[in-house]
């Protein structure tokens, strides 16, 4: 018994943290975790009428008087510990140790019971829930996760928390099923959503300050799911640093051609790809090149993820009607040289972008399309004037992010002829000449293996695949006459465009990734 152990200790003995101590439930039930943490003391146990209390300063007489008043007894034996050990005891007693073991995890202000196995009620304001949600967000930031998925599972009777890291959802933690409502409600409170509405989807934002003072913005979406529960997805929008264009590892010919496009005084440049493909990073890398003291640059973004000195950046607010097209209209009255629009998602924004580019402004924008030639057809299908669009377009950069093989454990192997021929077929007729390879005993590829550095996945980090279509006289003629995607692609490839799949195969031959990863993000 710990009480007998404590009884043998002389008063004011020095004590270090020991996880074999059991929480003194009776003494802790009316004490708040936050209060004990702030004041740096806690009761350790009781033997008869005597209460054993851990304190950080034995000479603090006012604190000792306060403790005796709270405990309503003068029969107190004090022990001394460093503040860090007191905090460890507190976290141990209040169930905040690193592992969470099903429903045995207690609620805040309800210490762990030895041998207890029953479920207890918790609320969104309990300290356990508050710190648990904070810990999930902090851990996601430390692991460079792009999304956090909180998923109550009716069949397994638990809550799965998954992080999307490098494009893949990875299980992070399993929580007790009793936490399903408090965790969701806590997220709703943080994002100013209605905690009483559980039948309709809601969306909001959280400005979260991490312990290192870094401020992180999270986009929150709650979705009611089967069984009367709600899923939560949080998109982590870190205030990223500006990456230079040369850091994006473009193919040399695409890098040079893209720089030439950026040097044009006016026109339309589009950066396209699905959500999460790095379009914003590339757009800001391009703006960094264009950002000069003699240039006035306006951007309309949703949200502003990367801040650049010297650029006037605007956050759009769709709920109050301040959208991309309204921002564009305001920019054109504000003497711009260069305009960047977060997305051309509607006819009006696209039309204004083309008009601005034709009246002497350089316009950059993003679009959610699959490849560069398809982007042209998509915009024409919106109803844009083909002649105006053909005159304004400078270039379209399509991109994807592909997982790269872990450099610590990737395994070299000699592929058979069938695998080599399959790569050649997917690339096209210039496979060997473009990449400078031929089949033989020295031809080597790499495959995933898995190690501690990559969490046994075999992949670590991501790189971009690029496809750059640069406007030319022939391309403009094809646009103005509304030719097909096939005709546009053929003409662009004849003028030097390499497709996303071709760039992916070049990365495979270079030992950076494998075919399964390339085919998971792009098709021929």
């Amino acid at each position: 018994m710990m009480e007998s152990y404590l009884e043998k200790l002389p008063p004011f003995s020095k004590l270090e943290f020991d996880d074999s101590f059991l929480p003194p439930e009776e003494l802790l039930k009316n004490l708040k975790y936050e209060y004990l943490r702030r004041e740096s003391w806690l009761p350790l146990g009781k033997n008869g009428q005597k209460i054993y209390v851990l304190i950080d300063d034995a000479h603090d007489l006012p604190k000792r008087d306060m403790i005796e008043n709270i405990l309503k007894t003068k029969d107190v034996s004090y022990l001394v510990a460093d503040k860090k050990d007191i905090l460890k005891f507190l976290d141990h007693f209040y169930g905040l140790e690193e592992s969470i073991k099903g429903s045995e995890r207690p609620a805040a202000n309800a210490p762990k019971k030895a041998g207890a196995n029953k479920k207890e009620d918790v609320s969104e304001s309990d300290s356990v829930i508050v710190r648990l949600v904070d810990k999930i967000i902090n851990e996601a930031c430390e692991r460079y996760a792009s999304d956090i998925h909180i998923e109550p599972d009716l069949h397994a009777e638990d809550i799965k928390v998954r992080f999307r890291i490098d494009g893949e959802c990875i299980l992070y933690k399993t929580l007790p099923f009793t936490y399903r409502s408090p965790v969701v409600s806590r997220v709703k409170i943080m994002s100013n959503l209605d905690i009483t509405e559980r039948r309709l989807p809601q969306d909001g934002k959280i400005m979260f300050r991490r312990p290192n003072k870094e401020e992180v913005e999270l986009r929150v979406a709650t979705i009611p799911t089967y069984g009367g529960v709600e899923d939560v997805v949080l998109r982590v929008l870190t205030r990223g640093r500006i990456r230079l264009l040369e850091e994006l590892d473009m193919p040399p010919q695409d890098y040079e051609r893209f720089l030439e496009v950026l040097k044009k005084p006016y026109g339309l440049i589009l950066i396209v790809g699905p959500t999460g493909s790095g379009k914003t990073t590339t757009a800001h890398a391009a703006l960094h090149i264009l950002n000069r003291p003699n240039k006035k640059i306006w951007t309309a973004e949703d949200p502003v993820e990367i801040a650049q000195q010297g650029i006037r950046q605007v956050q759009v607010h769709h709920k109050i009607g301040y959208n991309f097209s309204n921002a564009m209209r305001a920019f054109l009255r504000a003497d711009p040289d260069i305009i960047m629009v977060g997305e051309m998602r509607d006819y009006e924004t696209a039309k204004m972008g083309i008009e601005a580019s034709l009246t002497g402004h350089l316009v950059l924008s993003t679009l959610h399309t699959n490849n560069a030639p398809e982007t042209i057809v998509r915009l024409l299908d919106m109803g844009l004037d083909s002649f105006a669009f053909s005159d304004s377009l400078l270039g379209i950069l399509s991109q994807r992010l592909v997982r790269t093989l872990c450099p610590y454990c990737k395994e070299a192997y000699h592929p058979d002829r069938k695998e080599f021929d399959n790569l050649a077929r997917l690339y096209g007729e210039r496979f060997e000449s473009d990449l400078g390879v031929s089949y033989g005993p020295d031809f080597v590829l790499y495959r995933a293996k898995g190690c501690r550095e990559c969490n046994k996945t075999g992949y670590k980090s991501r790189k971009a695949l690029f496809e750059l279509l640069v406007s030319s006289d022939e391309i403009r003629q094809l646009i103005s006459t509304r030719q097909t995607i096939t005709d546009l692609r053929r003409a662009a490839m004849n003028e030097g465009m390499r497709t996303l799949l071709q760039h992916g195969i070049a990365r495979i031959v270079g030992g950076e990734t494998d075919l399964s990863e390339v085919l998971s993000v792009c098709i021929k």
Side-chain angles (χ1 to χ4, degrees):
M1 296 285 291
M2 283 299 163
E3 285 76 13
S4 61
Y5 168 75
L6 294 171
E7 189 178 9
K8 296 176 184 177
L9 293 175
F12 306 112
S13 294
K14 187 71 178 288
L15 197 66
E16 293 183 349
F17 173 69
D18 186 349
D19 61 5
S20 62
F21 276 83
L22 297 176
E25 178 191 356
E26 183 181 352
L27 296 173
L28 290 173
K29 64 182 179 181
N30 293 321
L31 295 172
K32 297 285 187 181
Y33 173 95
E34 290 83 1
Y35 167 77
L36 295 175
R37 183 183 177 91
R38 185 176 68 248
E39 299 296 330
S40 294
W41 71 273
L42 80 158
L44 283 178
K46 186 176 182 181
N47 190 7
Q49 295 301 313
K50 180 171 287 188
I51 297 176
Y52 297 91
V53 171
L54 197 61
I55 191 171
D56 65 333
D57 184 1
H59 303 291
D60 191 343
L61 296 180
K63 181 183 282 191
R64 287 165 56 180
D65 289 337
M66 177 190 66
I67 292 170
E68 290 166 8
N69 285 332
I70 291 173
L71 297 178
K72 296 181 174 60
T73 181
K74 294 288 185 181
D75 195 1
V76 177
S77 180
Y78 292 97
L79 300 168
V80 181
D82 293 331
K83 184 171 288 188
K84 62 181 178 60
D85 287 311
I86 292 176
L87 295 179
K88 288 180 181 178
F89 271 111
L90 277 169
D91 286 351
H92 175 59
F93 285 179
Y94 282 84
L96 296 173
E97 64 272 35
E98 288 297 312
S99 60
I100 300 175
K101 298 181 180 178
S103 60
E104 293 179 9
R105 175 80 177 262
N109 304 320
K112 298 189 291 184
K113 300 180 182 179
N117 201 26
K118 68 176 185 176
K119 296 180 181 178
E120 302 182 29
D121 293 330
V122 288
S123 73
E124 63 276 358
S125 60
D126 285 340
S127 58
V128 168
I129 299 300
V130 171
R131 272 189 304 282
L132 177 60
V133 173
D134 288 354
K135 184 177 186 299
I136 289 171
I137 295 173
N138 276 315
E139 189 72 17
C141 294
E142 288 173 8
R143 296 193 184 190
Y144 300 102
S146 61
D147 299 87
I148 304 168
H149 296 259
I150 300 173
E151 305 164 336
D153 190 331
L154 289 174
H155 301 290
E157 291 195 345
D158 60 20
I159 304 169
K160 290 180 174 59
V161 180
R162 298 195 291 165
F163 292 163
R164 186 176 293 279
I165 301 173
D166 292 338
E168 298 289 317
C169 276
I170 298 171
L171 181 65
Y172 160 66
K173 200 179 283 292
T174 300
L175 306 178
F177 197 56
T178 50
Y179 284 20
R180 63 193 183 278
S181 295
V183 168
V184 174
S185 296
R186 174 60 188 165
V187 174
K188 286 183 176 180
I189 288 170
M190 294 172 72
S191 48
N192 294 318
L193 300 180
D194 184 359
I195 64 172
T196 63
E197 179 55 74
R198 299 181 178 178
R199 299 169 300 171
L200 295 173
Q202 298 185 67
D203 60 270
K205 292 182 180 180
I206 297 173
M207 294 304 299
F208 183 80
R209 186 175 292 277
R210 298 186 61 204
N212 62 3
K213 307 302 181 184
E214 177 191 2
E215 194 170 67
V216 178
E217 184 176 347
L218 300 107
R219 278 193 300 207
V220 179
T222 68
I223 301 176
T225 48
Y226 172 75
V229 297
E230 290 178 278
D231 278 30
V232 180
V233 180
L234 299 94
R235 167 63 59 89
V236 183
L237 304 169
T238 55
R239 302 296 186 189
R241 73 174 183 88
I242 304 165
R243 296 194 65 182
L244 302 179
L245 198 63
E246 53 265 29
E247 294 177 343
L248 302 183
D249 196 19
M250 281 186 180
Q253 66 272 26
D254 287 348
Y255 175 73
E256 295 298 331
R257 295 172 76 209
F258 192 57
L259 282 179
E260 288 300 318
V261 169
L262 292 175
K263 291 177 181 177
K264 303 293 184 182
Y266 57 87
L268 177 65
I269 302 171
L270 297 173
I271 301 170
V272 304
T275 301
S277 60
K279 298 188 299 296
T280 301
T281 300
T282 303
H284 275 275
L287 287 177
H288 182 71
I289 291 173
L290 300 170
N291 187 7
R292 295 291 178 267
N294 62 335
K295 297 293 183 183
K296 177 73 172 188
I297 303 176
W298 286 100
T299 74
E301 303 171 66
D302 183 25
V304 177
E305 295 181 49
I306 301 171
Q308 287 201 53
Q309 187 176 0
I311 295 178
R312 311 312 301 159
Q313 296 174 259
V314 171
Q315 168 83 52
V316 301
H317 294 281
H318 297 286
K319 289 183 179 179
I320 61 172
Y322 188 35
N323 53 28
F324 288 120
S325 60
N326 289 336
M328 278 280 291
R329 193 174 292 110
F331 292 167
L332 291 173
R333 294 193 295 266
D335 187 29
D337 291 301
I338 300 166
I339 297 172
M340 200 271 276
V341 186
E343 186 181 347
M344 284 189 173
R345 62 177 62 172
D346 55 56
Y347 168 77
E348 186 176 359
T349 307
K351 182 173 180 290
M352 291 186 66
I354 291 172
E355 289 177 355
S357 65
L358 291 173
T359 53
H361 306 95
L362 186 63
V363 179
L364 284 78
S365 185
T366 70
L367 202 64
H368 290 105
T369 54
N370 291 322
N371 54 57
E374 181 186 307
T375 304
I376 295 170
V377 175
R378 175 77 63 85
L379 287 170
L380 291 176
D381 287 345
M382 280 186 185
L384 297 177
D385 180 75
S386 59
F387 292 98
F389 181 40
S390 65
D391 285 345
S392 67
L393 183 66
L394 295 177
I396 303 172
L397 182 69
S398 178
Q399 67 181 74
R400 297 285 189 283
L401 291 178
V402 62
R403 288 197 302 172
T404 52
L405 295 169
C406 174
Y408 300 99
C409 67
K410 66 180 182 180
E411 186 177 58
Y413 72 99
H414 175 59
D416 58 25
R417 183 75 199 198
K418 183 178 180 182
E419 186 173 351
F420 180 88
D421 290 342
N422 186 44
L423 288 176
R425 178 184 60 81
L426 290 170
Y427 188 94
E429 59 186 17
R430 299 195 305 268
F431 173 63
E432 295 190 22
S433 60
D434 282 0
L435 304 184
V437 298
S438 60
Y439 188 73
D442 296 332
F443 182 71
V444 175
L445 296 179
Y446 290 83
R447 57 191 168 203
K449 185 178 180 183
C451 67
R452 183 179 177 183
E453 293 290 336
C454 59
N455 294 319
K456 305 295 183 183
T457 63
Y459 301 93
K460 191 174 180 68
S461 189
R462 290 188 290 177
K463 285 191 175 182
L465 306 181
F466 293 102
E467 175 180 292
L468 178 63
L469 182 152
V470 176
S471 185
S472 64
D473 290 340
E474 184 179 357
I475 295 293
R476 283 190 284 272
Q477 178 64 27
L478 293 173
I479 294 172
S480 61
T481 55
R482 295 179 176 266
Q483 297 301 308
T484 65
I485 294 176
T486 303
D487 294 331
L488 289 164
R489 181 183 292 110
R490 185 184 301 113
M493 291 182 70
N494 288 337
E495 294 176 0
M497 183 186 83
R498 183 158 63 171
T499 66
L500 289 166
L501 182 58
Q502 288 177 328
H503 187 200
I505 292 172
R507 289 207 184 277
I508 293 170
V509 172
E512 298 175 281
T513 187
D514 57 28
L515 185 59
S516 62
E517 286 300 309
V518 171
L519 293 179
S520 71
V521 297
C522 59
I523 58 177
K524 190 171 182 179

